[in-house]
Amino acid sequence: MNWLEKMFPTRIRTESNSKRNVPEGLWIKCPDCSATLYQDDLDQNTHVCPKCSHHFRMGARARLDSFLDPENREEVGANLVPVDKLNFKDTKKYTDRLEQYQKSTGENDSLIVVEGQVYGLALVAAAFEFSFMGGSMASVVGERFVRAADVCIEKNIPLVCFSASGGARMQEALFSLMQMAKTSAALNRMSQAGVPFISVLTDPTMGGVSASFAMLGDAIVAEPGALIGFAGPRVIEQTVRQKLPEGFQRSEFLLEHGALDMIVDRRRMRQEIASLLSILQGKPALYGST
Amino acid sequence: MNLNFLEFEQPIAELEAKIEELRLMGNDSDLNLSDEIVVLQDKCKDLTHSIFSSLTSWQVSQLSRHPQRPYTLDYLKSVFTGFQELHGDRHFSDDPAIVAGVARLDGRPVMVVGQQKGRDTKEKLHRNFAMPKPEGYRKALRLMQMAERFKLPIITLIDTPGAYPGVDAEERGQSEAIARNLFEMSHFKTPIISVVIGEGGSGGALAIGVCDKLMMLQYSTYSVISPEGCASILWKSADNAPDAAEAMGLTSERLEELGFIDDIVPEPLGGAHRDFSAISESLKLALIKQLDELREMPVDDLLKRRYERLMSYGSFEETAQ
């Protein structure tokens, strides 16, 4: 027993070590390196573990805030709100679920679109709020995406979308499925107009989102270690009845199989994307981006 | 229990077995049983009518995957003539879960693409239960691009539980293959008609389903996820599949009300599997009607109409800002 242990009775020591007694949200344990991180430090490091570079999931607002320049921001399609045309009810009504998530996230659906700038380069950025019904794609998501594309075509400025989604939203049934076709058609139009689309895949990007606009970027970028795929690992395991290999459906796996252009550390995202876009758009190098 | 009949079809199966028995008895002996047979046949018709007039969404889901239901290759024989199957994606392999090729619809040259289920165990495995892999979607894309080049209208027949969820499919970019088809189909300069002939399973169905006219056979279904899948996620039990089927509104009737489809092809009494030639004739007439309408449209109008149609999908409200 050392001097420190002698100073405190055992009972108090165990309690102060117990994770359960840590005020929630103040300290975070990194799932990769097990380092205990102070939430504020993590926030300031764009939710990346300073010890091992594990990329934590990030909310849509924080994402856009860290990506865009602080000035000249304007939200697109904020006035679009979901409706329950099917009167969908499982163990709970869809309208009740919507209300619950609208309250907990402060957003009225899972995609946020903001027109702004990165290193002074005008663009439209969209980001998924994964904590809003698993970032699921539904009518409002599709419509906001299309409006984002429309702004881009009209002003000849690029679109950057940060995906984080479990796929289509079952509560909107076929309306939700059709958003895959709708968003892909809008990107076809953008492509014909010669307006670049950069798709950034973050953890996780699955199902209907991955099988539509997320895989249609002129460049497809992923954050390290993100789960990306069409079918979820559990579904695949049940189908093929075998254990999936380590790292299956992670960014590094996709890069190796030729599905991605590059993996970019979140702390370098602004610079890398601004630099890429300035070249695609034939603009001079942006000050501070390289 | 007759395994070729669904549970709710069993009373029909029993009655039919009885009729068959009487017929055989009549053949063997001098007894004249034709009156009784006619009575029973009428009864059987009434029974089928009453069962089929009040089907639940779950029953329709089961019918859409009925083991006796006609599949794509059946229609290629009965609705079209001169079908020549064209194979392969030119990159990796040929996916038997999708069949495609050129054919004629009452003389009109067309390109047909459809998912193909298997009838027996061996064929089911060969066709991978109509769950296409990326190479299947890429074959479809290649042939649809060829159709555009040679100004052939495209007819797609949808019948899949969904795109294949497997390791190899993921490795070869299942998501990208589906996304690419959605992207390209939105601007093919040739008419596209899609018909859901059985199961319209999610993104795997939509990947050959971006179109100018969407039709469904009466007892086919189209949904974002299977009723079982939806139930096991939202109800935490696949036993709630009937509830999920109801909630998602996946029947042709409901989807017509919601404005997704242009035409329902009525099925013969008891479903398409009860009378192949009747359903083939109805499908043929419906296809000719839609195709002739689309063929008259100038290409620019066709593309504009298709884009507007795609953009109209969704239910949301716009509030004052």
Side-chain angles (χ1 to χ4, degrees):
Chain A
M1 209 181 261
N2 66 28
W3 65 271
L4 186 70
E5 283 169 306
K6 276 181 202 156
M7 272 177 71
F8 299 102
T10 325
R11 199 171 49 84
I12 294 175
R13 242 190 298 129
T14 40
E15 274 189 14
S16 68
N17 283 341
S18 150
K19 269 177 259 162
R20 255 166 285 166
N21 284 5
V22 176
E24 207 171 310
L26 204 56
W27 294 93
I28 306 275
K29 193 173 171 188
C30 175
D32 259 10
C33 69
S34 304
T36 306
L37 308 166
Y38 189 45
Q39 179 71 62
D40 279 0
D41 289 347
L42 202 56
D43 289 351
Q44 280 177 10
N45 202 34
T46 60
H47 299 255
V48 176
C49 172
K51 304 256 163 51
C52 74
S53 295
H54 171 80
H55 283 52
F56 286 81
R57 283 181 187 166
M58 196 177 188
R61 295 279 169 194
R63 164 84 62 185
L64 293 171
D65 201 44
S66 73
F67 180 68
L68 293 167
D69 295 344
E71 55 281 332
N72 300 324
R73 296 180 185 182
E74 196 178 335
E75 194 163 341
V76 176
N79 58 332
L80 299 170
V81 291
V83 294
D84 175 26
K85 196 147 178 198
L86 295 169
N87 281 318
F88 196 99
K89 183 171 178 282
D90 45 85
T91 52
K92 214 173 179 180
K93 279 191 193 161
Y94 178 39
T95 46
D96 290 347
R97 280 191 202 272
L98 281 174
E99 209 173 300
Q100 173 198 335
Y101 285 105
Q102 282 164 345
K103 209 178 248 176
S104 68
T105 62
E107 306 295 347
N108 51 32
D109 215 312
S110 63
L111 185 75
I112 317 297
V113 178
V114 176
E115 184 185 345
Q117 296 174 326
V118 175
Y119 291 106
L121 180 98
L123 50 72
V124 176
F128 274 83
E129 178 57 56
F130 188 72
S131 51
F132 191 103
M133 297 188 82
S136 54
M137 174 148 75
S139 300
V140 169
V141 174
E143 183 65 20
R144 281 190 186 155
F145 191 91
V146 168
R147 294 205 183 177
D150 286 346
V151 172
C152 293
I153 294 173
E154 188 200 330
K155 301 189 174 172
N156 189 24
I157 56 176
L159 176 62
V160 178
C161 179
F162 296 89
S163 298
S165 171
R169 188 176 302 163
M170 287 171 284
Q171 289 88 344
E172 289 195 22
L174 215 60
F175 287 106
S176 160
L177 183 70
M178 292 303 172
Q179 302 313 308
M180 293 171 65
K182 179 172 174 172
T183 52
S184 302
L187 285 178
N188 190 304
R189 232 187 194 192
M190 250 181 74
S191 172
Q192 286 179 47
V195 178
F197 169 49
I198 310 290
S199 176
V200 185
L201 313 178
T202 78
D203 187 56
T205 300
M206 306 300 292
V209 167
S210 135
S212 62
F213 58 84
M215 281 294 167
L216 293 172
D218 290 297
I220 306 178
V221 175
E223 288 190 337
L227 186 73
I228 301 158
F230 174 67
R234 241 186 322 157
V235 174
I236 297 175
E237 266 179 353
Q238 280 164 11
T239 311
V240 301
R241 293 172 202 285
Q242 67 187 55
K243 197 108 187 73
L244 298 173
E246 179 91 7
F248 180 66
Q249 292 186 317
R250 296 285 167 186
S251 309
E252 297 72 18
F253 173 93
L254 270 85
L255 185 71
E256 197 183 309
H257 284 85
L260 302 178
D261 288 283
M262 54 183 177
I263 296 176
V264 172
D265 187 297
R266 192 181 288 156
R267 290 162 291 190
R268 291 275 311 158
M269 198 61 82
R270 263 169 67 80
Q271 292 92 320
E272 296 285 346
I273 288 183
S275 168
L276 175 61
L277 284 175
S278 68
I279 288 176
L280 292 181
Q281 291 211 297
K283 299 206 159 136
L286 304 166
Y287 178 74
S289 74
T290 44
Chain B
M1 180 159 159
N2 189 331
L3 290 177
N4 285 330
F5 286 80
L6 301 170
E7 210 179 309
F8 65 89
E9 289 179 307
Q10 289 301 330
I12 304 169
E14 280 163 27
L15 209 49
E16 283 192 347
K18 238 180 241 168
I19 294 170
E20 196 53 32
E21 216 172 282
L22 281 184
R23 211 197 302 271
L24 289 173
M25 261 166 73
N27 286 348
D28 288 349
S29 64
D30 299 332
L31 287 170
N32 190 353
L33 297 171
S34 57
D35 288 350
E36 277 95 306
I37 291 177
V38 169
V39 170
L40 278 182
Q41 276 172 334
D42 281 349
K43 200 176 157 196
C44 185
K45 219 172 173 179
D46 289 346
L47 180 69
T48 313
H49 216 91
S50 80
I51 291 176
F52 276 72
S53 61
S54 57
L55 292 173
T56 64
S57 298
W58 175 236
Q59 286 171 329
V60 175
S61 302
Q62 290 170 296
L63 275 176
S64 74
R65 342 167 163 152
H66 198 292
Q68 302 294 307
R69 203 170 166 81
Y71 298 148
T72 293
L73 282 172
D74 298 313
Y75 291 120
L76 276 164
K77 283 188 203 113
S78 59
V79 173
F80 302 89
T81 54
F83 173 61
Q84 285 177 299
E85 186 170 356
L86 303 173
H87 293 273
D89 70 341
R90 297 292 187 272
H91 294 289
F92 182 75
S93 78
D94 182 44
D95 185 352
I98 288 190
V99 294
V102 290
R104 287 180 187 273
L105 175 68
D106 198 33
R108 302 157 182 79
V110 292
M111 178 70 76
V112 186
V113 177
Q115 284 119 351
Q116 177 65 34
K117 291 186 174 178
R119 201 63 74 184
D120 55 32
T121 309
K122 197 177 155 202
E123 203 202 348
K124 281 185 166 97
L125 287 171
H126 174 61
R127 302 286 179 190
N128 198 27
F129 303 89
M131 294 187 286
K133 295 181 180 181
E135 49 272 25
Y137 292 116
R138 287 171 186 146
K139 166 169 71 177
L141 179 63
R142 177 177 78 83
L143 293 172
M144 290 190 288
Q145 284 167 333
M146 180 165 126
E148 182 185 38
R149 219 155 43 239
F150 296 106
K151 300 191 167 50
L152 302 177
I154 299 165
I155 294 171
T156 71
L157 303 178
I158 294 170
D159 190 13
T160 177
Y164 183 58
V167 176
D168 54 342
E170 294 289 327
E171 282 172 346
R172 293 194 290 278
Q174 187 71 288
S175 290
E176 196 274 346
I178 295 170
R180 186 63 50 197
N181 283 14
L182 303 178
F183 182 88
E184 297 292 347
M185 289 181 88
S186 72
H187 82 131
F188 283 145
K189 296 183 185 68
T190 188
I192 310 173
I193 301 174
S194 295
V195 192
V196 188
I197 58 170
E199 252 181 302
S202 194
L206 185 62
I208 59 164
V210 178
C211 59
D212 301 301
K213 294 275 188 182
L214 177 58
M215 311 199 299
M216 285 177 78
L217 299 197
Q218 189 178 358
Y219 303 126
S220 64
T221 56
Y222 201 176
S223 65
V224 67
I225 184 169
S226 70
E228 292 90 338
C230 180
S232 57
I233 298 172
L234 293 181
W235 278 266
K236 314 277 179 229
S237 160
D239 297 341
N240 289 89
D243 300 315
E246 197 58 51
M248 287 195 293
L250 39 64
T251 64
S252 61
E253 201 183 341
R254 187 85 178 95
L255 292 172
E256 189 178 48
E257 280 168 20
L258 292 167
F260 285 105
I261 57 176
D262 302 282
D263 195 12
I264 296 178
V265 183
E267 295 191 22
L269 183 64
H273 57 291
R274 307 286 294 181
D275 192 344
F276 273 34
S277 65
I279 187 64
S280 300
E281 196 51 32
S282 309
L283 176 58
K284 187 174 174 179
L285 291 176
L287 279 172
I288 291 172
K289 180 173 165 271
Q290 300 288 357
L291 182 57
D292 287 347
E293 220 179 287
L294 291 173
R295 283 207 305 183
E296 294 202 344
M297 236 177 255
V299 168
D300 288 345
D301 292 358
L302 188 76
L303 290 182
K304 186 165 170 271
R305 197 180 156 275
R306 191 183 306 156
Y307 192 77
E308 280 165 4
R309 178 192 178 91
L310 287 165
M311 292 307 120
S312 74
Y313 290 135
S315 74
F316 52 82
E317 266 167 20
E318 202 156 1
T319 59
Q321 224 153 6

